[in-house]
Amino acid sequence: MLDEIKFAIDGTQIKANKGDTILKAALKHGIYIPHLCDHPDLEPFGGCRLCMVEIKGKGLSISCKVPVEEGLEIITESPEVNKVRRIAAELLIASHHVDCLECARNTDCKLQDVASYIGIEEGRLKRLKRVIKDLPIDDSNPFFIRDLNKCVLCGICIRTCGEILNVGAIDFAFRGTGTLVATVGGKPILQSRCVSCGECVARCPVGALVPKNAERPTREVSTVCTYCGVGCGIKLGVRGGRIVRVRGDVNSPANRGNLCVKGRFGYDFVNHPDRLTSPLIKRNGAFVEATFEEALDLVASKLTDYKGDQFATFASARITTEDNYVVQKFTRAVMGTNNLDHCARL
Amino acid sequence: MTNSINEIEDAACILSIGSNTTVTHPVIGLRVKKAARNGAKLIVANPRRIELCSVADVWLRHRPGTDVALLMGMARVIMDEGLVDSSFIEERCENLDAFKESLKAFDPDFVEQVTGVPQGKIAEAARMLAGNSPASILYCMGITQHSHGTDNVLALANLAMLTGNIGKPSSGVNPLRGQNNVQGACDMGALPNVYPGYQKVDSAEIREKFEAAWGCSLSSTPGLTLTEILGAALEKRVKALYVVGENPVLSEADASHAKEALEALDFLVVQDIFLTETAMLADVVLPAATFAEKDGTFTNTERRIQRVRKALEPRGNSRPDWWITCEIAKKLGGKGFDYGHPAEIMGEISSLTPSYQGISYERLEAGGLQWPCPSPEHPGTPVLHTERFLTASGKGRLMPLEYKPPAECADEEYPFVLTTGRSLYHYHTSTMTGRVEGLNMLRDRELLEMNPTDAAALGIANGDRVQVKSRRGLVTADAKLTKDSPPGVVFMTFHFADSPTNVVTSPALDPVAKTPELKVCAVQVQKLKG
Amino acid sequence: MKFEEIAQTAKEEWDALQASAKPSIVVGTATCGRAAGAMEVMEALRNELKEREIEANIMETGCFGLCDAEPLITIKGPGGPSVWYRNVTPEMAGKLVEEHIVKGSPVAEHALGAAGDGQVDGLTAMSDLPMLKFQVRRILFNCGVVDPSNINHYIATGGYQALNKVVSGMSPEDIIDEITRSGLRGLGGAGFPVGRKWDSCRRVPSDVRYVVCNADEGDPGAFQDRSVLEGDPYSVVEGMTIAGYAIGAQKGYIYVRAEYPLAVERLENATAQAKEKGLMGKNILGSGFDFDLEIFQGAGAFVCGESTALVLSIEGKRGMPKPLPRPRTTEVGLWDMPTLLNNVKSYSIVPWILTKGADQFASLGTERCKGTAVFSLTGKMANCGLIEVPMGTTLRQIIYDIGGGIPKGKAFKAVQTGGPSGGCLPAELLDTQVDFDKLTAAGAIMGSGGMVVMDEDTCMVDVARYFLDFTQKESCGECSLCRLGTLQMLQTLEAIVAGEGDPDDIDMLLELGEAIKTGSICGLGQSAPNPALTTIRYFRHEYEAHIHEKKCPARVCKDLISYVISADKCKACMICLRECPVDAIRGAKKEVHVIDQDKCIRCGVCMSVCPERFGAVECIPGRLTEADNA
């Protein structure tokens, strides 16, 4: 049992786990504090300055880095807080591409959340100069697009690549308004050490890192990745008769939301035109499409002659457990042999 | 795995051997890196420089095929320096004296000479493993795919027992299984000698249980292994073969031999999602549904049984594998193949398989369960062997071992050792990944990785087309010069049909597990003109 | 070797040099001197001596702080006084050698002053020079006096007595107590009590601790750390070694800008010599105490002067400050070990304090700030340079008594202290005493000790724009307020100086500035708005003139000024007409010239070419158009 801590946010008593930050505890309780650069999987960064709160007796502080303490009194709205937070939000918006309808992250964007929370006053925003970047888009990776013009420099991608992957394909480069997330030598991401796992794409709060050809699924199905033996829990995003997205399942103990390049992006084979969609019977050296009835009849009539040890089965390490059970039962109970194996050793 | 994936990051020490974890099990790779970040000592033993070497405290770069020497050398240091967990050995292990005796052969000079690893480094690793508890041993096919793979695994088990690293969280001997459901396939007895739950086919009591359940009589003779089946096919002893979701033409060692065997059959049925290289040889091809188009379960490397859920309708006329097999069975007069849904199959599995007895689809809705799960109330078993081992005495048997060289060593004619493995971007024979455009873009061809020094001696430059030849056959690939490969060792994957690497690999088998020695064979390399 | 023997050797060498029968020439060859041509001068002097077959002791020394006088050399004939010559050129070498050394008669026309035995007619005593008279040189004690590449000079003038005293009998607690009692506050600018910092670092339980010297002097116009490193590197090395002994560290790093190659060279030499003498390395002076120093060259990012960014930079990472709340560097610093980080001058004064005692140190200064402060004086002042004065000296004393006031009879307008993070103080505040607290209260800061004096010709809006331009470019990009906020402030200031200011702009600058100050991660961001905020506070009328009247009162901002030709004074000489690069001047011989205000690009060429005796061209605030001409 984790130690429990009681503290107050805007007068409401909150229970939180020891070690949780104020921001984490607030979000867990459905209390929104604006934030961009915080991510529960990563070390606090403290760069966006949006999660500023007032801690009674201690003054202003970012809430993403302060652990809860017994009896703390947190104020999320005060003139002091608003002064800093509103400016920080306005500065970010004034330097962001706001063609939201053309952005793959539309309605799933943390900056939109911030903007709608702060409440944009056009008069105030107009006082600021629009500072928009016009950098080339990096579409070198087959699976995702890097549009640094939309980057808010929250550093989540950098920390993901460093803390979680230990790959470090990207880091901050340059200074001032020229600060960018860059690969070594500013090369396209494909030529960097990037392993295309898409963990950064999954965490990017804005439209700076988005999957290519992103389509929103109409529903999601929880299942297990079909590749290696880790057995990552995934959520297949389905739309029409196609898989259009895969997300790691954060509740799966095997992967806790993490995925590799194959698991996250390697699903196109399911709808590939090469898929076998009909039984095939070889006639005169060439395959001919057949109905299941024809094919099964042929198989059954042939196999009748080979019952016993003239017969063998290769089961598979890739089909389901139930499939395997049925295959071995068939081999043993119907065909009467233990000549049964699969490529467990490969 | 004796333990669970989640426990890895809490280990105080990790020995990763024969596993390129970040490539073959990327998400487990993340846990290992997290552990290192948390301060765990990481020992990597691998002839090739892999990504984990960059976060390792010690990297033991031993020669391919010398794992027994390396591991027994470590055991010797642990024993000589009194670093053993004596209370664990006292309470949980047996055969110490014989084991000690066999360690005599592994004096540091011998071990250094065989493995090529300085003895100081071996001692450092041994002390690290013994001195940081709990320690988790992770291994993969770099351990098993040898003519003495079983010995390799036993050597790891010895180390775990000596240091008391078994039966407690974040420890254990943990094979990282290569394929999504290799564990489930084994659990279900897709093996020649056992029924589901590793119940022996040659045990009368067990057989009777299955005969009663299935309403038929069963063969008491263990069947042939995969390699033996292929041999028997060539000899016309096996005449009909039913292949479900496998592609032995590319995946088997000495693949030309495998292809010949399949061609020698009277009747070949292949059931798959694509027209694979193996399916091309079939008389009848049956279209299967993919994982996204059916319900079922996969059991992962940590023995976690997890639900696979249908997201799409099967494409065209394809059908789930279980359905197709049931239809064949029924046409052949089989009884008990009238399942309406995989949930019913699981019901039958749990009734016949003690370790799956507590598994049901209702329970799996709440998340996966790790076997053994012997009753509906059992929470599953994250850590094996907490109290006793699965031996007659219940004790862990320390196994005396001797060093045996690989079946085929480099020689004058075939001067390089070829070791095989995988690429991050492809899976097995690329049946699936080869049909993902983006993955092909990230890696589209076979590469022969070799040390620049070796390449220079042969006049080979980066990107040159080379021919790799063994006593069994030859393949071509593009050369990639990299110090990841030590001098004298070259590396290839087996993902690409147009460079079928397994045409050259060695058919030598481990006598117990019948695993082919894919990690060591002797080859010659030559630059192709043009 | 025992310290007494080391000291004896050093003293003998130094005494021999002083008593030498040979003439001696000392050349100031710090970076400032070199930039002015000191190396060429030294070469020329050598050649002249060689030609005359004169043997002389030629010695290099560090910066004496008299920037205007560089290259500065001292010549001492046997028996005579030392004479300082200012602005020496290679061409002057022959004359100086011939007259002063050969003939024994100092060249008064090039001399700055004299010191030592025997006075020379017409030469001021050095100690009477206004620039020196009001100074108290403790930190700069050796600068411009000894050879900074010769450890014996440092030892002979009292160096390493403190370390000897410390290792041969003082406990770490005694040392820290002495430093604490002295009242020394961090001279890097923040003024944190040094003794308390040492004490807290020492108290963090750890086997490994580090001593780090912040020599990442990044403020434009600040050069005091460089001068100390180049002129007296041993004092820093000794101070750090003592710090290591006091806090229990065996390893130190000096983080110095790669743009300071001479400082790096002098430090490397200093550490090598200290090791050779057993004053660094293993078993220092037989005490069993080990201490080693490594010199780490920074790549010149301004933000790396911030403690956490500096630490990351040494670790090989990108220097980005760690946001609060975080442990202090004294608790979790370099490689996550307790780390003592002080500025160059803070370490450099430590030997002085331990030799002379805390009480003597504290005898100077204000109630809460003891000792001295070093400033680099630049801008519109008669005497610019590097000075050291007691804490509590007023701005007026510094600017007028030491700096000699504003040249050309111009009026004082403001003094900017503390570099780009500092603030601009107006004439009303000239009686402010300089110390950490009082400057902060006035809206400026002590900072790095830069002090820029501005006269009536300085536009305060433009000054704010200049500093914002610097901080904006140097923002590390980590926090949104600093990265984007300074840019907005800069762009607003640019609009104002371009005559495109909006009535709301002042309020917006204040609002932005306050938010950036309150909300930024590190000192760079928190102080970046200061130049704008203080100029608005004290010179709001100038902003208003720019915005409302579209005039630059100081006649600096090109878009808000005009050049006009006075019909009364114009002699129709055609010079300006010919020189105007855009042919904006109409007129002819005997026809008064007129500037076409629409064509004029306000380059000021006409004014500069108009003969002084006419003085017909005038620059006035505000933009005229052709309509005004009509």
Side-chain angles (χ1 to χ4, degrees):
Chain A
M1 188 65 191
L2 289 161
D3 292 339
E4 204 173 69
I5 291 207
K6 288 195 211 68
F7 73 109
I9 297 180
D10 297 328
T12 308
Q13 288 295 316
I14 301 276
K15 284 180 198 159
N17 294 331
K18 193 175 178 182
D20 279 1
T21 62
I22 295 170
L23 178 63
K24 190 172 180 183
L27 293 173
K28 262 192 200 167
H29 282 80
I31 300 170
Y32 179 71
I33 295 175
H35 62 280
L36 265 187
C37 68
D38 189 69
H39 193 282
D41 300 342
L42 304 169
E43 303 276 326
F45 178 65
C48 74
R49 318 310 282 168
L50 290 166
C51 68
M52 199 69 78
V53 293
E54 198 173 319
I55 304 175
K56 221 173 193 180
K58 292 184 181 173
L60 291 189
S61 174
I62 49 173
S63 58
C64 64
K65 238 194 141 195
V66 183
V68 290
E69 276 174 51
E70 192 67 36
L72 274 190
E73 289 183 54
I74 308 299
I75 301 156
T76 66
E77 287 269 317
S78 75
E80 278 293 298
V81 170
N82 285 340
K83 195 173 77 179
V84 176
R85 191 168 62 186
R86 171 168 287 277
I87 292 277
E90 287 174 351
L91 286 169
L92 283 161
I93 292 162
S95 59
H96 197 78
H97 285 257
V98 287
D99 47 354
C100 292
L101 291 180
E102 295 170 23
C103 178
R105 198 71 72 178
N106 190 22
T107 74
D108 184 25
C109 167
K110 288 268 178 67
L111 188 57
Q112 287 179 335
D113 293 347
V114 170
S116 71
Y117 176 85
I118 301 284
I120 296 307
E121 290 175 35
E122 212 176 316
R124 288 180 53 88
L125 261 186
K126 269 193 179 151
R127 303 181 310 167
L128 299 174
K129 314 273 183 272
R130 296 273 308 149
V131 200
I132 306 292
K133 290 194 182 107
D134 188 19
L135 299 161
I137 288 172
D138 179 356
D139 60 357
S140 60
N141 189 287
F143 298 119
F144 61 88
I145 292 168
R146 285 174 85 223
D147 182 356
L148 297 182
N149 299 307
K150 292 180 184 165
C151 176
V152 290
L153 294 173
C154 67
I156 285 177
C157 52
I158 295 170
R159 282 175 286 148
T160 299
C161 202
E163 291 174 24
I164 298 182
L165 271 294
N166 197 55
V167 166
I170 42 175
D171 200 349
F172 289 109
F174 309 108
R175 293 175 219 170
T177 38
T179 309
L180 287 180
V181 176
T183 60
V184 175
K187 288 184 181 161
I189 190 81
L190 189 65
Q191 292 171 37
S192 73
R193 296 164 62 183
C194 170
V195 293
S196 305
C197 66
E199 290 283 328
C200 58
V201 180
R203 286 183 180 78
C204 179
V206 292
L209 289 166
V210 293
K212 272 191 180 165
N213 309 317
E215 288 182 275
R216 190 152 303 178
T218 51
R219 64 194 168 97
E220 280 193 327
V221 178
S222 288
T223 186
V224 181
C225 176
T226 189
Y227 290 112
C228 76
V230 179
C232 294
I234 55 173
K235 295 202 179 263
L236 286 183
V238 176
R239 171 179 177 140
R242 293 173 302 133
I243 301 168
V244 294
R245 184 178 77 189
V246 174
R247 293 194 300 145
D249 185 348
V250 289
N251 294 317
S252 164
N255 60 313
R256 300 196 310 245
N258 297 130
L259 288 179
C260 76
V261 56
K262 296 187 290 292
R264 191 185 306 280
F265 297 121
Y267 49 78
D268 283 353
F269 72 91
V270 172
N271 291 95
H272 197 278
D274 287 357
R275 272 287 300 282
L276 286 169
T277 53
S278 165
L280 302 173
I281 295 172
K282 198 176 267 170
R283 296 212 164 101
N284 302 324
F287 285 118
V288 186
E289 288 198 359
T291 64
F292 250 106
E293 202 52 33
E294 288 174 275
L296 292 170
D297 282 342
L298 176 61
V299 170
S301 69
K302 284 278 185 187
L303 292 187
T304 315
D305 300 338
Y306 297 105
K307 282 195 177 174
D309 289 343
Q310 309 176 68
F311 177 77
T313 299
F314 288 173
S316 173
R318 289 178 283 275
I319 58 177
T320 65
T321 298
E322 292 78 355
D323 292 337
N324 270 301
Y325 176 80
V326 171
V327 167
Q328 66 86 32
K329 182 177 172 185
F330 160 72
T331 306
R332 292 186 164 119
V334 179
M335 297 304 290
T337 180
N338 284 315
N339 285 344
L340 166 70
D341 204 354
H342 70 287
C343 66
R345 306 167 192 91
L346 305 179
Chain B
M1 287 170 72
T2 59
N3 290 58
S4 302
I5 296 169
N6 252 345
E7 297 166 20
I8 294 172
E9 59 193 44
D10 297 322
C13 180
I14 294 173
L15 166 60
S16 162
I17 181 163
S19 157
N20 189 356
T21 321
T22 58
V23 162
T24 58
H25 300 84
V27 171
I28 292 181
L30 301 183
R31 305 294 174 255
V32 176
K33 288 187 273 192
K34 177 80 183 293
R37 205 179 159 81
N38 289 348
K41 299 285 179 199
L42 176 61
I43 305 161
V44 171
N46 205 312
R48 292 175 37 77
R49 182 174 63 190
I50 58 171
E51 190 194 321
L52 282 184
C53 294
S54 67
V55 284
D57 293 277
V58 182
W59 171 28
L60 307 170
R61 188 174 213 176
H62 59 308
R63 296 193 181 104
T66 63
D67 305 80
V68 165
L70 181 76
L71 298 170
M72 290 297 271
M74 284 173 68
R76 165 90 178 240
V77 172
I78 290 169
M79 193 64 87
D80 285 356
E81 298 189 3
L83 305 174
V84 291
D85 183 339
S86 16
S87 61
F88 185 88
I89 291 180
E90 178 106 349
E91 289 163 28
R92 303 278 320 261
C93 305
E94 59 188 17
N95 207 29
L96 181 64
D97 292 339
F99 176 70
K100 267 188 183 167
E101 187 59 32
S102 85
L103 279 182
K104 283 189 181 157
F106 295 92
D107 72 76
D109 291 335
F110 169 76
V111 171
E112 175 171 328
Q113 187 207 328
V114 169
T115 61
V117 183
Q119 42 187 279
K121 258 195 166 170
I122 296 174
E124 187 188 354
R127 288 175 202 130
M128 208 172 263
L129 183 71
N132 293 281
S133 175
S136 179
I137 297 172
L138 306 179
Y139 72 91
C140 197
M141 289 166 195
I143 280 293
T144 54
Q145 290 177 342
H146 288 280
S147 54
H148 49 266
T150 304
D151 288 352
N152 287 346
V153 176
L154 292 173
L156 289 172
N158 285 340
L159 272 183
M161 286 188 280
L162 283 182
T163 56
N165 275 308
I166 200 135
K168 61 184 180 186
S170 303
S171 72
V173 181
N174 299 291
L176 307 180
R177 308 298 310 257
Q179 303 178 58
N180 57 322
N181 200 30
V182 63
Q183 189 66 54
C186 294
D187 295 349
M188 286 308 103
L191 296 167
N193 58 339
V194 288
Y195 294 117
Y198 307 96
Q199 305 175 80
K200 304 263 194 229
V201 295
D202 51 9
S203 151
E205 191 191 336
I206 300 288
R207 193 168 60 249
E208 280 157 23
K209 176 170 101 174
F210 279 93
E211 285 175 340
W214 292 345
C216 62
S217 67
L218 295 168
S219 164
S220 61
T221 356
L224 303 174
T225 64
L226 197 145
T227 321
E228 288 164 347
I229 291 169
L230 292 171
L234 270 179
E235 293 164 16
K236 285 289 187 181
R237 286 187 284 120
V238 164
K239 294 174 184 162
L241 181 65
Y242 177 34
V243 177
V244 183
E246 293 268 293
N247 190 11
V249 170
L250 281 190
S251 61
E252 279 306 294
D254 195 3
S256 317
H257 166 87
K259 194 176 174 201
E260 278 168 41
L262 296 177
E263 284 165 346
L265 290 163
D266 289 357
F267 188 61
L268 174 63
V269 184
V270 175
Q271 184 170 310
D272 213 316
I273 58 174
F274 289 103
L275 195 63
T276 62
E277 291 72 13
T278 302
M280 301 286 279
L281 305 176
D283 296 291
V284 178
V285 178
L286 299 170
T290 64
F291 82 112
E293 297 155 344
K294 62 184 176 186
D295 283 299
T297 60
F298 289 157
T299 303
N300 77 350
T301 187
E302 53 173 352
R303 299 167 279 106
R304 191 182 300 276
I305 301 152
Q306 307 192 99
R307 270 287 266 121
V308 174
R309 292 184 182 82
K310 179 174 166 178
L312 302 171
E313 287 305 317
R315 205 171 150 90
N317 264 331
S318 64
R319 291 289 179 271
D321 290 285
W322 62 269
W323 183 90
I324 302 173
T325 309
C326 285
E327 290 304 306
I328 300 172
K330 285 190 278 190
K331 289 216 182 264
L332 283 160
K335 295 278 177 302
F337 289 91
D338 300 308
Y339 310 105
H341 189 270
E344 295 166 23
I345 306 174
M346 184 54 86
E348 186 172 319
I349 294 169
S350 60
S351 71
L352 291 167
T353 314
S355 56
Y356 275 61
Q357 205 148 8
I359 306 294
S360 67
Y361 274 32
E362 290 74 45
R363 285 194 75 188
L364 293 177
E365 278 309 303
L369 286 166
Q370 284 171 285
W371 67 255
C373 179
S375 71
E377 297 76 36
H378 194 281
T381 310
V383 183
L384 294 181
H385 317 306
T386 49
E387 274 152 35
R388 61 190 311 275
F389 290 97
L390 299 172
T391 53
S393 62
K395 291 203 169 191
R397 193 168 176 80
L398 288 161
M399 295 298 286
L401 295 169
E402 56 179 294
Y403 167 69
K404 298 181 198 106
E408 187 177 73
C409 294
D411 54 28
E412 257 177 49
E413 196 183 351
Y414 295 96
F416 291 100
V417 169
L418 169 70
T419 187
T420 65
R422 299 170 197 231
S423 150
L424 172 63
Y425 302 106
H426 286 286
Y427 177 71
H428 234 252
T429 60
S430 294
T431 306
M432 298 184 283
T433 51
R435 289 179 171 91
V436 178
E437 202 185 326
L439 293 172
N440 283 331
M441 187 176 154
L442 292 170
R443 176 75 188 265
D444 65 349
R445 71 191 70 183
E446 188 57 85
L447 298 170
L448 177 84
E449 296 189 23
M450 74 188 306
N451 190 281
T453 324
D454 291 338
L458 296 170
I460 294 170
N462 216 16
D464 280 354
R465 197 71 188 161
V466 292
Q467 170 188 292
V468 183
K469 189 178 161 201
S470 76
R471 292 184 171 84
R472 291 154 294 278
L474 62 86
V475 288
T476 56
D478 287 355
K480 177 187 172 186
L481 310 194
T482 168
K483 287 183 179 167
D484 293 351
S485 273
V489 176
V490 294
F491 173 83
M492 292 174 85
T493 74
F494 60 103
H495 298 310
F496 302 95
D498 47 6
S499 294
T501 305
N502 279 320
V503 162
V504 300
T505 52
S506 160
L509 295 182
D510 177 83
V512 182
K514 311 288 186 191
T515 305
E517 188 153 59
L518 291 169
K519 292 299 182 243
V520 185
C521 76
V523 296
Q524 49 175 251
V525 177
Q526 175 181 339
K527 182 179 168 177
L528 288 176
K529 294 205 167 62
Chain C
M1 215 189 298
K2 281 193 162 171
F3 180 72
E4 288 67 29
E5 296 166 39
I6 297 171
Q8 187 58 36
T9 315
K11 189 169 181 303
E12 281 163 14
E13 183 182 329
W14 177 253
D15 288 348
L17 182 68
Q18 303 309 310
S20 170
K22 292 182 211 163
S24 109
I25 299 179
V26 180
V27 186
T29 57
T31 296
C32 43
R34 291 178 184 205
M39 298 313 271
E40 292 77 8
V41 167
M42 189 158 70
E43 188 57 29
L45 287 164
R46 278 219 171 87
N47 290 338
E48 296 295 340
L49 290 166
K50 202 171 163 192
E51 234 169 63
R52 294 172 178 80
E53 291 177 357
I54 301 171
E55 268 192 46
N57 299 313
I58 298 188
M59 184 181 103
E60 292 185 43
T61 190
C63 165
F64 200 54
L66 305 171
C67 296
D68 289 329
E70 298 287 356
L72 180 64
I73 70 166
T74 317
I75 300 181
K76 180 176 180 287
S82 295
V83 177
W84 273 258
Y85 292 100
R86 57 176 302 157
N87 305 111
V88 181
T89 60
E91 293 71 35
M92 286 155 60
K95 185 171 178 188
L96 292 176
V97 169
E98 188 60 31
E99 297 293 323
H100 190 146
I101 295 179
V102 177
K103 297 186 181 152
S105 52
V107 187
E109 55 175 313
H110 298 309
L112 180 69
D117 307 337
Q119 280 301 311
V120 183
D121 283 344
L123 293 191
T124 330
M126 283 299 279
S127 55
D128 285 341
L129 283 182
M131 188 75 178
L132 297 175
K133 193 158 84 177
F134 301 98
Q135 288 198 47
V136 178
R137 292 171 73 95
R138 289 177 175 175
I139 295 165
L140 303 178
F141 177 68
N142 277 324
C143 289
V145 178
V146 300
D147 178 352
S149 60
N150 186 337
I151 196 169
N152 280 339
H153 284 198
Y154 177 70
I155 295 171
T157 53
Y160 278 111
Q161 281 178 24
L163 180 67
N164 181 47
K165 179 173 165 186
V166 158
V167 298
S168 55
M170 275 179 95
S171 69
E173 289 81 2
D174 292 344
I175 301 167
I176 293 173
D177 184 54
E178 192 74 14
I179 300 291
T180 306
R181 281 200 310 114
S182 76
L184 174 67
R185 291 173 63 174
L187 296 169
F192 191 86
V194 172
R196 208 185 328 150
K197 196 188 262 187
W198 288 28
D199 188 47
S200 64
C201 190
R202 178 178 167 72
R203 283 173 192 277
V204 181
S206 177
D207 296 337
V208 179
R209 291 186 185 76
Y210 294 105
V211 173
V212 178
C213 175
N214 185 347
D216 189 50
E217 190 172 45
D219 284 6
F223 48 86
Q224 48 270 77
D225 290 350
R226 186 190 72 204
S227 295
V228 172
L229 294 173
E230 290 177 355
D232 195 19
Y234 303 101
S235 65
V236 181
V237 171
E238 186 187 357
M240 289 181 74
T241 312
I242 292 170
Y245 182 84
I247 67 157
Q250 297 181 348
K251 172 97 195 189
Y253 288 87
I254 303 179
Y255 187 92
V256 58
R257 291 162 65 95
E259 294 95 322
Y260 283 0
L262 183 61
V264 171
E265 183 189 317
R266 292 266 156 86
L267 282 169
E268 276 168 355
N269 176 63
T271 50
Q273 289 182 346
K275 258 191 200 169
E276 221 169 85
K277 296 255 181 212
L279 299 165
M280 214 169 80
K282 292 262 172 243
N283 192 18
I284 291 172
L285 292 172
S287 64
F289 168 56
D290 304 336
F291 189 77
D292 242 316
L293 266 182
E294 199 170 301
I295 292 143
F296 187 97
Q297 297 188 43
F302 183 63
V303 77
C304 285
E306 195 273 348
S307 60
T308 57
L310 185 148
V311 162
L312 285 173
S313 181
I314 296 180
E315 291 174 2
K317 300 175 189 143
R318 178 180 167 95
M320 281 178 123
K322 293 185 181 167
L324 288 170
R326 54 165 167 79
R328 288 182 183 282
T329 305
T330 45
E331 296 159 20
V332 180
L334 190 57
W335 319 115
D336 289 339
M337 294 299 163
T339 298
L340 178 69
L341 180 64
N342 280 128
N343 169 265
V344 170
K345 299 179 292 279
S346 305
Y347 286 122
S348 156
I349 194 68
V350 162
W352 193 100
I353 295 173
L354 291 170
T355 312
K356 306 259 166 63
D359 294 335
Q360 196 177 337
F361 180 83
S363 66
L364 287 182
T366 58
E367 197 191 329
R368 300 193 57 236
C369 300
K370 302 298 182 192
T372 57
V374 180
F375 288 98
S376 17
L377 295 189
T378 53
K380 304 292 177 62
M381 247 179 315
N383 311 318
C384 289
L386 191 67
I387 59 153
E388 183 173 358
V389 292
M391 292 277 185
T393 308
T394 64
L395 288 169
R396 190 182 301 282
Q397 285 171 308
I398 293 174
I399 294 165
Y400 287 91
D401 296 343
I402 299 177
I406 317 301
K408 299 184 193 164
K410 299 274 184 178
F412 169 89
K413 185 187 261 185
V415 56
Q416 214 271 357
T417 71
S421 316
C424 295
L425 304 180
E428 302 91 271
L429 294 177
L430 272 174
D431 291 313
T432 305
Q433 290 181 302
V434 293
D435 76 11
F436 296 107
D437 310 318
K438 285 165 182 154
L439 280 177
T440 305
I445 55 168
M446 190 87 140
S448 59
M451 194 176 276
V452 185
V453 173
M454 301 159 198
D455 68 4
E456 59 186 278
D457 290 342
T458 313
C459 169
M460 299 316 287
V461 186
D462 190 53
V463 165
R465 183 205 57 77
Y466 170 82
F467 283 117
L468 255 305
D469 183 53
F470 178 83
T471 43
Q472 185 274 131
K473 283 181 179 143
E474 287 294 345
S475 164
C476 76
E478 183 176 5
C479 70
S480 55
L481 285 163
C482 172
R483 177 182 77 244
L484 301 170
T486 54
L487 178 72
Q488 287 289 346
M489 290 184 77
L490 171 65
Q491 292 192 334
T492 305
L493 290 165
E494 282 172 348
I496 295 174
V497 300
E500 288 154 14
D502 189 272
D504 285 347
D505 281 351
I506 297 180
D507 284 344
M508 197 185 62
L509 284 171
L510 291 172
E511 200 184 328
L512 277 169
E514 285 304 324
I516 298 167
K517 256 180 106 127
T518 317
S520 293
I521 290 178
C522 79
L524 192 161
Q526 286 159 11
S527 59
N530 281 350
L533 294 178
T534 54
T535 49
I536 293 175
R537 179 167 158 193
Y538 296 119
F539 303 95
R540 193 179 179 111
H541 54 278
E542 286 199 33
Y543 281 80
E544 287 166 348
H546 281 73
I547 294 168
H548 302 302
E549 299 158 38
K550 305 293 175 198
K551 283 181 177 170
C552 174
R555 295 166 299 179
V556 171
C557 304
K558 271 196 183 169
D559 292 313
L560 299 176
I561 54 168
S562 301
Y563 287 90
V564 290
I565 298 172
S566 158
D568 300 344
K569 295 181 184 167
C570 178
K571 300 288 184 257
C573 70
M574 298 285 288
I575 294 178
C576 66
L577 195 146
R578 276 198 305 271
E579 295 293 326
C580 175
V582 291
D583 297 327
I585 302 176
R586 305 191 282 273
K589 281 234 159 127
K590 295 183 182 167
E591 186 188 316
V592 170
H593 303 343
V594 177
I595 297 175
D596 180 331
Q597 293 298 339
D598 292 346
K599 269 190 174 176
C600 173
I601 56 165
R602 300 165 303 282
C603 63
V605 165
C606 49
M607 190 155 126
S608 64
V609 298
C610 182
E612 216 169 302
R613 57 185 192 280
F614 306 158
V617 183
E618 198 187 345
C619 179
I620 60 165
R623 251 325 274 287
L624 299 177
T625 63
E626 268 303 278
D628 297 306
N629 271 339

